[in-house]
Amino acid sequence: MAHQRCDWQGVYPAAVTPFTKDGALDEQATRDLIEVFLADGVHGFISVGSTGEWFSLSDQERVRVFEIYKEQVKGRVPVVAGTSAIGTRETVALTQAAKDLGLDGCMVLPPPYAMPTKEEVIGHYAEVAKVGLPIMIYNNPPRTGINVDAAMASELAKLPEVVAFKDSTKDLYQTSEAFYAVQDRMACFAGLEPYGLAAFSRGAVG
């Protein structure tokens, strides 16, 4: 039997990104928030995920947030960079930046809005995988219009760089099937807190 490719587990909050009143990135508030989470015992971070409003930040601002997390966390827990974008080229560039900074992985949605085919989604992740940074796939169909079901997750699990699968569907049957299909290779995470207990009983680790 295969084994999970990473040891990520526990609570990985998709932390908000604080802004100042004029809409600029609030760097000090970001550092303060990191320390609050760490004091509360989180096991890792998702930096600039969907709750972190990646869509409201320029690529340069996103990389700056990655830098802040690297500087502030100081290796105390893993930091996973949210590198989702509509375009594959942009996702690859952000993932490369996260790798260059020494972050522990990236979380990537299927390209939102673009409505790619299954083959295009797999191709998107294959290009990101070439960067060589561990990847958490994030399935959130209401946000993307793309559903990574058990069959697609199994295909993506063939990429060695794909180490984790986060699911935010409200279909527990589908979530169960996906987790059962990949949990021997990927660390599975519940993206919706109300589904956490049910997800843990089906193989989720966080």
mmCIF file of all heavy atoms in Angstrom, residues 11 22 31 37 56 67 72 77 82 92 95 107 124 128 134 146 185 193:
data_model
loop_
_atom_site.group_PDB
_atom_site.id
_atom_site.type_symbol
_atom_site.label_atom_id
_atom_site.label_comp_id
_atom_site.label_asym_id
_atom_site.label_seq_id
_atom_site.Cartn_x
_atom_site.Cartn_y
_atom_site.Cartn_z
ATOM 1 N N VAL A 11 -5.074 21.600 11.878
ATOM 2 C CA VAL A 11 -5.775 22.831 11.480
ATOM 3 C C VAL A 11 -4.843 23.722 10.672
ATOM 4 O O VAL A 11 -3.810 24.177 11.169
ATOM 5 C CB VAL A 11 -6.282 23.581 12.725
ATOM 6 C CG1 VAL A 11 -6.955 24.897 12.317
ATOM 7 C CG2 VAL A 11 -7.243 22.715 13.522
ATOM 8 N N ASP A 22 -7.087 52.469 3.440
ATOM 9 C CA ASP A 22 -6.970 52.900 2.049
ATOM 10 C C ASP A 22 -6.760 51.737 1.090
ATOM 11 O O ASP A 22 -6.471 51.929 -0.091
ATOM 12 C CB ASP A 22 -5.835 53.920 1.884
ATOM 13 C CG ASP A 22 -4.474 53.355 2.275
ATOM 14 O OD1 ASP A 22 -4.398 52.167 2.649
ATOM 15 O OD2 ASP A 22 -3.486 54.111 2.204
ATOM 16 N N ARG A 31 1.324 40.218 10.498
ATOM 17 C CA ARG A 31 2.247 39.582 11.456
ATOM 18 C C ARG A 31 1.544 39.308 12.793
ATOM 19 O O ARG A 31 1.733 38.242 13.400
ATOM 20 C CB ARG A 31 3.468 40.469 11.662
ATOM 21 C CG ARG A 31 4.335 40.629 10.417
ATOM 22 C CD ARG A 31 5.541 41.508 10.680
ATOM 23 N NE ARG A 31 6.282 41.778 9.456
ATOM 24 C CZ ARG A 31 7.204 40.955 8.936
ATOM 25 N NH1 ARG A 31 7.484 39.811 9.551
ATOM 26 N NH2 ARG A 31 7.828 41.274 7.821
ATOM 27 N N PHE A 37 -2.765 33.167 15.636
ATOM 28 C CA PHE A 37 -3.028 31.791 15.202
ATOM 29 C C PHE A 37 -2.050 30.814 15.847
ATOM 30 O O PHE A 37 -2.438 29.740 16.318
ATOM 31 C CB PHE A 37 -2.931 31.687 13.679
ATOM 32 C CG PHE A 37 -4.194 32.043 12.951
ATOM 33 C CD1 PHE A 37 -4.194 33.023 11.963
ATOM 34 C CD2 PHE A 37 -5.386 31.395 13.213
ATOM 35 C CE1 PHE A 37 -5.350 33.344 11.269
ATOM 36 C CE2 PHE A 37 -6.555 31.710 12.524
ATOM 37 C CZ PHE A 37 -6.542 32.686 11.551
ATOM 38 N N SER A 56 -8.064 39.946 -4.684
ATOM 39 C CA SER A 56 -8.015 41.382 -4.406
ATOM 40 C C SER A 56 -6.597 41.932 -4.357
ATOM 41 O O SER A 56 -6.399 43.127 -4.127
ATOM 42 C CB SER A 56 -8.701 41.682 -3.061
ATOM 43 O OG SER A 56 -10.055 41.284 -3.070
ATOM 44 N N GLU A 67 6.254 36.399 1.680
ATOM 45 C CA GLU A 67 7.493 36.781 2.371
ATOM 46 C C GLU A 67 7.237 37.023 3.856
ATOM 47 O O GLU A 67 8.027 36.602 4.719
ATOM 48 C CB GLU A 67 8.081 38.045 1.738
ATOM 49 C CG GLU A 67 8.636 37.856 0.342
ATOM 50 C CD GLU A 67 9.077 39.166 -0.285
ATOM 51 O OE1 GLU A 67 8.667 40.242 0.205
ATOM 52 O OE2 GLU A 67 9.836 39.112 -1.265
ATOM 53 N N GLN A 72 7.783 35.658 9.492
ATOM 54 C CA GLN A 72 7.150 35.662 10.811
ATOM 55 C C GLN A 72 7.019 34.265 11.406
ATOM 56 O O GLN A 72 7.208 34.078 12.609
ATOM 57 C CB GLN A 72 5.768 36.324 10.718
ATOM 58 C CG GLN A 72 5.170 36.687 12.064
ATOM 59 C CD GLN A 72 5.936 37.806 12.766
ATOM 60 O OE1 GLN A 72 6.522 38.666 12.117
ATOM 61 N NE2 GLN A 72 5.937 37.788 14.083
ATOM 62 N N VAL A 77 5.689 26.178 11.906
ATOM 63 C CA VAL A 77 4.705 25.274 11.301
ATOM 64 C C VAL A 77 4.833 25.431 9.789
ATOM 65 O O VAL A 77 5.399 26.410 9.300
ATOM 66 C CB VAL A 77 3.252 25.599 11.740
ATOM 67 C CG1 VAL A 77 3.066 25.380 13.241
ATOM 68 C CG2 VAL A 77 2.861 27.011 11.323
ATOM 69 N N GLY A 82 -1.164 30.106 -1.239
ATOM 70 C CA GLY A 82 -2.257 30.074 -2.209
ATOM 71 C C GLY A 82 -1.791 30.693 -3.512
ATOM 72 O O GLY A 82 -1.559 31.903 -3.583
ATOM 73 N N VAL A 92 1.890 29.241 -12.266
ATOM 74 C CA VAL A 92 3.253 28.712 -12.239
ATOM 75 C C VAL A 92 4.215 29.753 -11.672
ATOM 76 O O VAL A 92 5.086 29.434 -10.845
ATOM 77 C CB VAL A 92 3.683 28.264 -13.643
ATOM 78 C CG1 VAL A 92 5.192 27.996 -13.693
ATOM 79 C CG2 VAL A 92 2.916 27.017 -14.068
ATOM 80 N N THR A 95 3.766 30.082 -7.958
ATOM 81 C CA THR A 95 4.268 28.876 -7.302
ATOM 82 C C THR A 95 5.789 28.887 -7.270
ATOM 83 O O THR A 95 6.400 28.508 -6.253
ATOM 84 C CB THR A 95 3.753 27.626 -8.026
ATOM 85 O OG1 THR A 95 2.310 27.656 -8.047
ATOM 86 C CG2 THR A 95 4.208 26.355 -7.339
ATOM 87 N N MET A 107 -1.280 25.760 -2.469
ATOM 88 C CA MET A 107 -2.648 25.301 -2.629
ATOM 89 C C MET A 107 -3.188 25.907 -3.919
ATOM 90 O O MET A 107 -3.104 27.122 -4.128
ATOM 91 C CB MET A 107 -3.521 25.726 -1.450
ATOM 92 C CG MET A 107 -4.941 25.155 -1.530
ATOM 93 S SD MET A 107 -5.989 25.645 -0.136
ATOM 94 C CE MET A 107 -6.346 27.355 -0.583
ATOM 95 N N HIS A 124 -3.166 21.736 -16.382
ATOM 96 C CA HIS A 124 -2.847 22.895 -15.534
ATOM 97 C C HIS A 124 -2.008 22.445 -14.335
ATOM 98 O O HIS A 124 -0.936 23.009 -14.055
ATOM 99 C CB HIS A 124 -4.154 23.534 -15.075
ATOM 100 C CG HIS A 124 -4.010 24.692 -14.136
ATOM 101 N ND1 HIS A 124 -3.647 25.952 -14.546
ATOM 102 C CD2 HIS A 124 -4.199 24.776 -12.789
ATOM 103 C CE1 HIS A 124 -3.613 26.767 -13.508
ATOM 104 N NE2 HIS A 124 -3.939 26.081 -12.434
ATOM 105 N N VAL A 128 2.023 23.153 -13.136
ATOM 106 C CA VAL A 128 2.387 23.651 -11.804
ATOM 107 C C VAL A 128 3.332 22.660 -11.124
ATOM 108 O O VAL A 128 4.292 23.060 -10.447
ATOM 109 C CB VAL A 128 1.127 23.877 -10.939
ATOM 110 C CG1 VAL A 128 1.512 24.318 -9.529
ATOM 111 C CG2 VAL A 128 0.213 24.920 -11.588
ATOM 112 N N PRO A 134 5.451 20.962 -3.333
ATOM 113 C CA PRO A 134 4.296 20.130 -2.989
ATOM 114 C C PRO A 134 2.978 20.883 -3.186
ATOM 115 O O PRO A 134 2.861 22.057 -2.832
ATOM 116 C CB PRO A 134 4.534 19.794 -1.514
ATOM 117 C CG PRO A 134 6.015 19.849 -1.357
ATOM 118 C CD PRO A 134 6.450 20.992 -2.242
ATOM 119 N N ILE A 146 -15.733 24.188 -11.489
ATOM 120 C CA ILE A 146 -15.093 22.914 -11.823
ATOM 121 C C ILE A 146 -15.172 22.004 -10.615
ATOM 122 O O ILE A 146 -14.880 22.424 -9.490
ATOM 123 C CB ILE A 146 -13.611 23.118 -12.217
ATOM 124 C CG1 ILE A 146 -13.507 24.043 -13.424
ATOM 125 C CG2 ILE A 146 -12.933 21.779 -12.485
ATOM 126 C CD1 ILE A 146 -14.148 23.501 -14.686
ATOM 127 N N ARG A 185 -2.409 8.250 -0.723
ATOM 128 C CA ARG A 185 -1.344 9.021 -1.363
ATOM 129 C C ARG A 185 -1.359 10.487 -0.971
ATOM 130 O O ARG A 185 -0.321 11.145 -0.998
ATOM 131 C CB ARG A 185 -1.456 8.916 -2.889
ATOM 132 C CG ARG A 185 -1.145 7.532 -3.441
ATOM 133 C CD ARG A 185 -1.685 7.350 -4.840
ATOM 134 N NE ARG A 185 -3.150 7.221 -4.829
ATOM 135 C CZ ARG A 185 -3.893 7.144 -5.927
ATOM 136 N NH1 ARG A 185 -3.303 7.204 -7.116
ATOM 137 N NH2 ARG A 185 -5.198 7.018 -5.845
ATOM 138 N N GLU A 193 -15.877 23.579 7.865
ATOM 139 C CA GLU A 193 -15.812 23.141 9.256
ATOM 140 C C GLU A 193 -16.998 22.261 9.681
ATOM 141 O O GLU A 193 -16.798 21.274 10.394
ATOM 142 C CB GLU A 193 -15.702 24.350 10.183
ATOM 143 C CG GLU A 193 -14.370 25.088 10.104
ATOM 144 C CD GLU A 193 -14.347 26.141 8.995
ATOM 145 O OE1 GLU A 193 -15.251 26.127 8.128
ATOM 146 O OE2 GLU A 193 -13.432 26.968 9.008
#
